[in-house]
Amino acid sequence: GSYFIVANIKDADVKQLHTMSEDIGKEYTKDFKYCVNMMCEVKVGIIPLSVFYTPENRHMGENYVRISFCKKKETIDDAIEKFKNFKNLKNLS
């Protein structure tokens, strides 16, 4: 089991700031872009919800990201501090 929150990023104007080397030239879904940006810029991993859908239905999860809490309290506290200390959170989108 796990604990998680699904966050709506519908209103975020997300730009693709980073690309994994094997995906050069590929356009990511909105949620995937947001998660890659979060990992590269804030150093916190969250999960794009579209990965839980079949390719033809990925658009149904594109406006959501999944934040998991199945971690030690210290890990969650560390992620919270990273969010607080990251001055350019709006630059992720």
Side-chain angles (χ1 to χ4, degrees), residues 4-27:
F4 59 89
I5 291 174
V6 173
N8 186 328
I9 60 165
K10 178 182 161 199
D11 293 331
D13 181 24
V14 181
K15 296 180 182 43
Q16 188 161 318
L17 302 177
H18 303 278
T19 304
M20 291 184 274
S21 60
E22 64 272 13
D23 294 333
I24 292 175
K26 179 181 176 186
E27 181 71 20

Side-chain angles (χ1 to χ4, degrees), residues 81-93:
E81 285 304 310
K82 287 178 180 177
F83 283 124
K84 286 180 184 177
N85 293 326
F86 190 73
K87 303 294 184 209
N88 297 316
L89 198 54
K90 287 194 172 219
N91 290 339
L92 293 176
S93 37

Side-chain angles (χ1 to χ4, degrees), residues 22-38:
E22 64 272 13
D23 294 333
I24 292 175
K26 179 181 176 186
E27 181 71 20
Y28 294 148
T29 57
K30 181 180 192 172
D31 58 329
F32 202 89
K33 290 180 210 176
Y34 191 87
C35 292
V36 170
N37 293 348
M38 184 72 69

Side-chain angles (χ1 to χ4, degrees), residues 47-58:
I47 302 160
L49 216 60
S50 65
V51 300
F52 294 103
Y53 291 82
T54 59
E56 61 273 5
N57 292 314
R58 286 234 161 89

